[in-house]
Amino acid sequence: MQPFDLTNGDQILNQNALANNVSGLNLSVRTDLGARVEAWRPGPNVVGDDRFFCHGYSLGTFGPHRYTVWGRFLPRVLADEYQTLGRIDNARNVAARDVLVWWLGGTEAYHSAVVEQPVTLPTGVLDPAQTSVSSKTGTGPLRIGVLAEDVKQQYRSAAYIEVYRRNA
């Protein structure tokens, strides 16, 4: 993801955008390949974990760029900047810092989390009952080192979970 830059065509789309009742801005920003996506940036008085939600944490944009990509734009970011390792029940070689995405359907990203400590079954696939992740629900507190299975239960209406790795 590129930093927000008004001189490069990025725009403030809405100066009164709310994310989970937290005030901020709705922005137009660019993926590394130049595709336009929308993101949320917290207002200047927003502090702590209220400054971002799950996709901002999972993509790593909340720190250096101070924004979080909205879920409906996550498929474009993933297509431009990540490779799919497969669904959680058949992905192989999952590593720390890979991203798990919970999908409600083909294009609606419901939740995302970062793999912290992957544990695999003898078959080589990820074991959600032993794998720890960092997860964040909305603008709630960031939870580091929670079990992927516990997060999976929280988002059990998801159709499936896929694993992604950032392109080198």
Side-chain angles (χ1 to χ4, degrees):
M1 294 296 307
Q2 297 294 309
F4 177 72
D5 182 358
L6 288 170
T7 65
N8 220 352
D10 294 345
Q11 300 174 7
I12 297 173
L13 302 173
N14 182 349
Q15 292 189 14
N16 298 306
L18 291 177
N20 302 312
N21 294 317
V22 177
S23 65
L25 308 170
N26 195 35
L27 308 174
S28 169
V29 296
R30 292 159 290 120
T31 68
D32 287 345
L33 295 182
R36 291 255 165 230
V37 297
E38 291 182 24
W40 176 81
R41 174 177 277 177
N45 297 325
V46 178
V47 297
D49 287 351
D50 285 350
R51 297 171 298 138
F52 58 97
F53 41 96
C54 65
H55 303 323
Y57 181 78
S58 297
L59 298 176
T61 59
F62 81 96
H65 303 322
R66 294 185 37 237
Y67 63 71
T68 294
V69 172
W70 291 107
R72 69 181 180 273
F73 295 96
L74 191 61
R76 174 78 273 150
V77 175
L78 294 171
D80 283 8
E81 301 183 9
Y82 288 76
Q83 60 181 298
T84 307
L85 299 183
R87 292 192 181 193
I88 194 171
D89 55 351
N90 65 18
R92 303 245 191 268
N93 302 314
V94 177
R97 307 311 304 159
D98 286 345
V99 175
L100 302 179
V101 177
W102 281 250
W103 295 97
L104 285 176
T107 61
E108 191 172 350
Y110 186 37
H111 183 64
S112 60
V114 176
V115 174
E116 295 295 338
Q117 183 73 40
V119 176
T120 56
L121 296 167
T123 60
V125 299
L126 199 67
D127 180 358
Q130 296 185 64
T131 295
S132 65
V133 300
S134 292
S135 180
K136 190 167 190 324
T137 301
T139 51
L142 175 63
R143 299 178 307 148
I144 297 175
V146 297
L147 293 177
E149 185 63 36
D150 292 342
V151 178
K152 186 177 172 185
Q153 291 305 314
Q154 184 179 1
Y155 294 95
R156 61 179 153 253
S157 60
Y160 57 93
I161 303 167
E162 282 187 318
V163 183
Y164 294 86
R165 179 167 296 150
R166 182 120 170 94
N167 293 333

